[in-house]
Amino acid sequence: MNTNTKGRVAVIGGGMAGTAAAWRIKTLGFEPVIYESRDRIGGRMWSFRKNDFIMDAGMSAYLGTYREAISLIHEVGLSDQLSELPAIGGFRRQGRNYHIDYTKPVSQGIPSGYLKPLEKVRALRLGLDTFRHRKSLGYSDYTSLAAIDDETVNAYCRRVLDENLMNYVGRPLVSGTWAADDKDTSVALLFWTVRNMLAPYVYNLSEGVAMLPAEIAAQVETRYRTEVQNVEAKGNRVNVTTAAGSEDFDGCVIATTAEPALAIYPQMDAATHRLYSTNRYRKLGNICIGLSRRPADPCTYYLPTPHEDPDTVAVIADHNKTTGRAPDGKGLLTVLLSHEFLERSENRSDEDLLDYALDRAGAYLSPIRGGEVEAWNVTRWPHSVPSIYTGRFRMIAEYTAQVDRTARVQFASDMDRIPGCNGALVSGEEAARRLAGALGA
């Protein structure tokens, strides 16, 4: 044990929330120990090399609005691994592709032809509503969003916009960015998406998005393949039990998905229990495909509309999102398949999913022949993204107001704010600061 620290803190879970918590705990003068049940770090951020391709089998990129994540990348010493490229979004309507260069939204986006003139006028209402709530469209305070969290995306689009804008704007935005169902998803998430996801640049790391949690894990004590069975707060100590035995710490951050957190900490307070027990996850299929030929299409990604393609969440051109993902002249694609498709395809083989993904990618890019595939990987995520269903922002706001900042066990996840990498990171850092305060730092 390092006797120069202010105390030892257990961090349960090595995803982005857990590693961010561990890093911040370390910078605040404590000694963190990460417990990770898998043999890898990163959780739903998973990067690996297959043949000559660097694949991201979970999260795909850091957006320009992920300020906290980009700041942490610099802080941990990965500045020289960070790349920045313009984001070009692809959309499809009635068999025709449309490109929008987000670095030139006026000259490139508005006259794109994707929306008809009257639809563009009506779409201004979505922009105005997003602008009205802009101060709440971040990662910390959802009090204002909670006040409008009483309508679904589908209902808002039908009431305020029109059927076409629902099908070609509202639905692809929440499906393509959150794998979400517009009939269930809060309209507040649509405003958040318009404000934050349509960013002009995408950022990435040379060896994959998971370089960030992996670098943090390399700089703190990390125990892989170690599943925590129980956490118990006892006075001024927190006991952590694994198959190898139990150990006492000064504090703990539980940074797992909902079910493990509920199982390992029976002392969980009522507010946290309500937030975690009512969480819903969406399934997601992630198919990475390394090609011998690079498609000529300049898009970073396509966001299909469920109106025309209900099974495809997104088609991502990884070779366009950063440099070095594929060798020169070769291509790397990621096809994301929907929750509903996975529900119907539980018994289909990985090879079947690959064939289906090739068909869907070819519909947006040029047709892909099976002989062009040099490497591939299929990942089925049973817990990909927490659903922000109607009423969820109200619940998050209520939970945030009730967090016990004096507790020696704190919680971090992407369930207590906007889901995803940056939300999890902010949650982890805030949990670390609360715990440091509770321990007298």
Side-chain angles (χ1 to χ4, degrees):
M1 175 179 173
N2 183 354
T3 57
N4 293 323
T5 67
K6 299 173 183 177
R8 298 178 73 233
V9 172
V11 178
I12 317 303
M16 193 66 257
T19 51
W23 178 263
R24 194 54 60 214
I25 285 165
K26 177 184 176 182
T27 63
L28 292 170
F30 296 85
E31 180 184 357
V33 178
I34 298 175
Y35 288 83
E36 172 52 54
S37 61
R38 295 186 176 105
D39 60 359
R40 64 173 181 83
I41 211 73
R44 285 165 284 168
M45 300 170 69
W46 186 19
S47 306
F48 52 86
R49 184 179 289 273
K50 199 162 190 178
N51 295 353
D52 294 325
F53 302 92
I54 299 173
M55 299 179 174
D56 293 316
M59 172 191 157
S60 179
Y62 298 91
L63 298 182
T65 51
Y66 288 8
R67 292 183 293 273
E68 294 83 358
I70 294 170
S71 175
L72 189 59
I73 286 170
H74 292 300
E75 187 178 342
V76 304
L78 292 176
S79 300
D80 60 341
Q81 306 296 318
L82 185 66
S83 66
E84 172 190 288
L85 287 179
I88 301 177
F91 298 87
R92 189 173 179 86
R93 182 169 180 171
Q94 297 175 340
R96 181 179 174 185
N97 290 346
Y98 296 89
H99 297 167
I100 299 176
D101 185 341
Y102 292 125
T103 66
K104 305 171 184 176
V106 176
S107 63
Q108 297 286 320
I110 293 177
S112 67
Y114 180 64
L115 296 181
K116 296 177 173 59
L118 184 56
E119 292 168 354
K120 292 177 184 178
V121 173
R122 288 175 176 163
L124 290 174
R125 174 62 186 275
L126 174 58
L128 290 172
D129 286 344
T130 300
F131 182 79
R132 281 173 49 217
H133 299 288
R134 66 194 183 281
K135 293 182 179 179
S136 298
L137 300 176
Y139 291 91
S140 296
D141 183 7
Y142 299 131
T143 305
S144 175
L145 292 186
I148 60 167
D149 187 21
D150 57 1
E151 188 174 29
T152 67
V153 171
N154 188 283
Y156 167 85
C157 289
R158 289 181 183 277
R159 179 178 63 82
V160 175
L161 306 177
D162 63 19
E163 189 82 8
N164 283 334
L165 287 173
M166 178 186 73
N167 287 328
Y168 295 105
V169 176
R171 299 185 73 187
L173 284 179
V174 296
S175 172
T177 53
W178 306 108
D181 181 353
D182 57 283
K183 296 182 181 67
D184 184 59
T185 301
S186 171
V187 68
L189 186 64
L190 176 61
F191 300 151
W192 198 98
T193 303
V194 172
R195 166 65 180 83
N196 291 279
M197 300 301 287
L198 305 181
Y201 295 96
V202 290
Y203 296 81
N204 226 300
L205 293 165
S206 60
E207 293 296 317
V209 293
M211 277 190 79
L212 175 56
E215 178 62 25
I216 293 172
Q219 297 189 40
V220 304
E221 182 180 348
T222 303
R223 301 177 184 178
Y224 293 94
R225 303 182 189 88
T226 306
E227 186 169 351
V228 172
Q229 299 172 343
N230 190 67
V231 174
E232 183 180 6
K234 299 179 177 180
N236 63 354
R237 308 297 292 167
V238 177
N239 182 263
V240 175
T241 301
T242 68
S246 62
E247 189 171 354
D248 283 342
F249 292 86
D250 296 284
C252 176
V253 176
I254 296 177
T256 69
T257 51
E259 290 182 9
L262 289 164
I264 66 176
Y265 192 55
Q267 294 172 284
M268 184 182 289
D269 63 280
T272 307
H273 190 278
R274 179 170 181 257
L275 184 76
Y276 278 51
S277 62
T278 56
N279 185 66
R280 306 177 198 162
Y281 287 105
R282 300 274 290 174
K283 295 180 180 179
L284 186 67
N286 184 300
I287 294 84
C288 299
I289 309 168
L291 300 173
S292 59
R293 172 185 60 86
R294 178 168 296 189
D297 195 299
C299 272
T300 311
Y301 56 78
Y302 277 92
L303 299 183
T305 173
H307 176 65
E308 296 184 4
D309 186 356
D311 293 337
T312 311
V313 169
V315 176
I316 302 166
D318 298 83
H319 53 267
N320 288 337
K321 74 183 184 184
T322 187
T323 56
R325 281 292 188 272
D328 290 345
K330 297 185 178 182
L332 179 62
L333 306 177
T334 298
V335 179
L336 303 181
L337 299 177
S338 71
H339 171 92
E340 290 75 15
F341 177 81
L342 289 192
E343 288 277 277
R344 303 193 311 268
S345 308
E346 289 184 353
N347 297 324
R348 295 180 67 170
S349 67
D350 286 354
E351 288 77 9
D352 283 345
L353 263 62
L354 170 65
D355 289 341
Y356 190 79
L358 287 170
D359 174 76
R360 300 322 306 144
Y364 295 88
L365 308 169
S366 57
I368 300 169
R369 297 181 296 273
E372 295 177 336
V373 178
E374 293 191 355
W376 59 278
N377 182 79
V378 171
T379 305
R380 307 177 198 224
W381 294 99
H383 301 142
S384 64
V385 181
S387 295
I388 301 294
Y389 52 85
T390 305
R392 189 67 178 174
F393 277 118
R394 289 199 303 272
M395 190 180 298
I396 291 172
E398 291 167 2
Y399 164 78
T400 303
Q402 297 176 53
V403 168
D404 182 0
R405 305 182 70 86
T406 67
R408 286 180 178 261
V409 176
Q410 296 288 334
F411 292 87
S413 71
D414 62 351
M415 287 176 280
D416 63 359
R417 61 205 65 233
I418 290 292
C421 160
N422 204 65
L425 185 153
V426 173
S427 179
E429 291 194 328
E430 289 185 1
R433 293 187 177 100
R434 290 195 305 268
L435 184 58
L439 298 180

